[in-house]
Amino acid sequence: MSPPETTSAAPRGGLVVLALFLVYVVWGSTYLGIHLALESGLPPLSVISGTRFVIAGGVLYAFLRWRGMAAPTRAQWPTLAVMGLCLLFFGNGMVVMAERDVSSGLAAVAVASVPLWMALFSAFRGDKVTRGEWLGIAIGFVGVVWLNAGSTLTATPKGLVFLLIAPLGWAAGSIWSRGRDLPSPFMTAAGQMLCGGVILVAVGLLRGERVEAWPTLQGVLSVGYLTVFGSIVAFTAYVWLLQNVRPVLAGSYAYVNPVIAVALGAWIAHERFSVSDLGAMAVILAGVVVITLARIRRA
């Protein structure tokens, strides 16, 4: 019986490695993709964020319906709309707005605080929080304060505000959605992207965003990369991981993405980071790791 078991396990292990690679590297690189799209002059909310999610959500929705998956019910669509508002409008849209003033790597470092806010919101919701998790929250928020008070973010007040809103929105939407009536994970992702994308496009148009000139090749390729790889491929890989590995492993992207983003920003966009920036990142990631280890022990 040993040979068959080894043979069947190998592809599964390979799929796990591939899915983790996609979530780590592709999601980590989306911050650079946003930077390059903004650099090309494309509108932040209506095109770089909104159009990306409308297309990605539409393609995924059509594919799932073609495969025979049930559409969200009338009662489920409002929940998907709230998730789209919190996770995509506030969570992603504010990152795009922030990157007009701050580096892609610094934006990724700020977003790395999402697990800290999720743990805190879980405590407010009444979930049991262990002493180890409280320790991780405390460590992480020292890093958040450091990042917002002692890094290069202090020179960009608007970027600072946007990068405070983004992780709060993502974490609040994630915690709020727990236990609610939702369709299958993949259909939830598709519906959420459609709703969030429509909100982003609408708000972008209301604030006067317009495409003034024919987009450059860099802009088209950047938005295309964000749509196909960032929204469809990597998100599908993440949902697959949630269904096939422990949540702790699936959520490990939270402390890998910032490192990838900082490295790519320095290499390709020639971004520079101060010692204070890197120190704040290290403390935030240390808090996330402590929370993760505490949850492993509790499990």
Side-chain angles (χ1 to χ4, degrees):
M1 296 295 291
S2 296
E5 290 177 0
T6 304
T7 302
S8 61
R12 176 64 172 274
L15 287 175
V16 170
V17 171
L18 175 61
L20 285 172
F21 174 83
L22 290 172
V23 172
Y24 286 172
V25 177
V26 174
W27 267 359
S29 67
T30 55
Y31 296 92
L32 177 63
I34 292 170
H35 169 86
L36 295 175
L38 286 168
E39 195 176 61
S40 68
L42 290 175
L45 293 181
S46 59
V47 176
I48 298 175
S49 197
T51 301
R52 158 194 176 185
F53 287 118
V54 169
I55 295 173
V59 169
L60 184 57
Y61 183 88
F63 175 76
L64 294 174
R65 295 292 291 139
W66 175 69
R67 291 294 302 271
M69 190 171 291
T73 65
R74 183 176 297 180
Q76 290 170 338
W77 277 111
T79 303
L80 294 173
V82 173
M83 291 176 67
L85 174 69
C86 293
L87 276 72
L88 300 184
F89 176 75
F90 289 116
N92 181 269
M94 296 304 102
V95 170
V96 178
M97 294 293 286
E99 283 200 41
R100 297 178 304 166
D101 301 303
V102 306
S103 68
S104 61
L106 207 56
V109 173
V111 174
S113 66
V114 164
L116 308 175
W117 293 109
M118 289 182 67
L120 191 62
F121 289 155
S122 294
F124 292 157
R125 194 186 186 196
D127 296 344
K128 182 181 179 181
V129 179
T130 66
R131 284 183 295 179
E133 289 174 300
W134 279 119
L135 176 62
I137 291 172
I139 293 172
F141 278 114
V142 169
V144 171
V145 172
W146 185 357
L147 182 69
N148 289 291
S151 74
T152 51
L153 270 182
T154 55
T156 55
K158 287 194 298 183
L160 171 62
V161 172
F162 290 137
L163 289 182
L164 281 173
I165 295 173
L168 279 169
W170 188 280
S174 299
I175 298 300
W176 178 86
S177 66
R178 289 180 180 175
R180 298 190 181 271
D181 178 28
L182 290 169
S184 68
F186 288 109
M187 186 58 79
T188 294
Q192 174 184 300
M193 285 193 285
L194 277 172
C195 293
V198 169
I199 293 171
L200 283 158
V201 170
V203 173
L205 293 177
L206 286 173
R207 64 186 296 269
E209 292 184 359
R210 298 291 185 273
V211 178
E212 301 295 342
W214 189 256
T216 64
L217 179 61
Q218 174 180 302
V220 172
L221 291 177
S222 298
V223 174
Y225 178 82
L226 292 169
T227 302
V228 176
F229 291 96
S231 298
I232 298 177
V233 175
F235 199 90
T236 302
Y238 178 63
V239 173
W240 184 88
L241 283 170
L242 287 176
Q243 296 175 339
N244 290 275
V245 302
R246 291 185 302 171
V248 168
L249 181 59
S252 59
Y253 75 90
Y255 45 84
V256 177
N257 284 171
V259 178
I260 297 291
V262 167
L264 289 176
W267 176 37
I268 297 177
H270 307 294
E271 296 174 350
R272 294 293 178 263
F273 305 94
S274 69
V275 174
S276 181
D277 297 334
L278 298 177
M281 177 178 73
V283 174
I284 291 172
L285 297 186
V288 174
V289 170
V290 170
I291 290 175
T292 302
L293 294 176
R295 287 175 175 169
I296 292 174
R297 289 185 62 186
R298 184 173 66 176

